Amino acid sequence: MAVSSGEGKTAGQEDPVRRESARQRAGEQGLLFDEQPTTLPGDIGYRGPTACAAAGITYRQLDYWARTGLVEPTIRAAQGSGSQRLYSFRDILVLKVVKRLLDTGVSLQQIRTAVQHLRDRGVGDLSRITLMSDGVSVYECTSADEVIDLLQGGQGVFGIALGRVWREVEGSLAELPGERAAVEDTVPADHPADELAQRRKARRLG
């Protein structure tokens, strides 16, 4: 199934040698849906620095993606000076996927389409999806056969198994601080994570 525009690739499907080679490649890359991730509490939120550390992105990227609506915090948005965004586990999972798609050359327009598609999915469904891309379009695969068809039919096609990304994020967050969504907190004026907000405020005040 195509997440964004483009037809799924099935060329070479009749070639058993290529198909077996693709199956082996998929297995080596962990794309064959063998992950069984656990679910973290839905009311736990993670501040910007924690989200950045778990997703492998900079605070500048996090801030820009939130302000442009690419990936916004679903637990608590920043509301005025001194407030702090809180990201859910699912938000951080999507942040990490966006980073990987960007690193492989997928356009921001295609990534926005893919992110919207992931937003429409339940959290449980995400762990059973592999995203495939040829650097132009992004495709959703929900079965091993779909993954193998794309791997054998397109040169340079890469995959992101969300179940594996889920495990990576889960492992990172296990060592990072989280907080209950109901807890209101403020960021100290000298908090490094709020540096960009301070600069924007200073420019506005002249």
Side-chain angles (χ1 to χ4, degrees), residues 114-132:
V115 167
Q116 183 57 53
H117 181 79
L118 294 180
R119 284 196 187 111
D120 295 337
R121 287 285 197 170
V123 174
D125 285 343
L126 292 183
S127 65
R128 304 295 299 171
I129 291 174
T130 291
L131 295 179
M132 306 290 289

Side-chain angles (χ1 to χ4, degrees), residues 7 57 69 101 156:
E7 298 289 336
I57 61 176
L101 290 172

Side-chain angles (χ1 to χ4, degrees), residues 22-32 34 151 164:
R23 182 177 290 278
Q24 291 176 0
R25 286 174 59 197
E28 290 168 359
Q29 296 176 49
L31 304 177
L32 294 183
D34 57 352
L151 281 175
R164 174 165 286 194

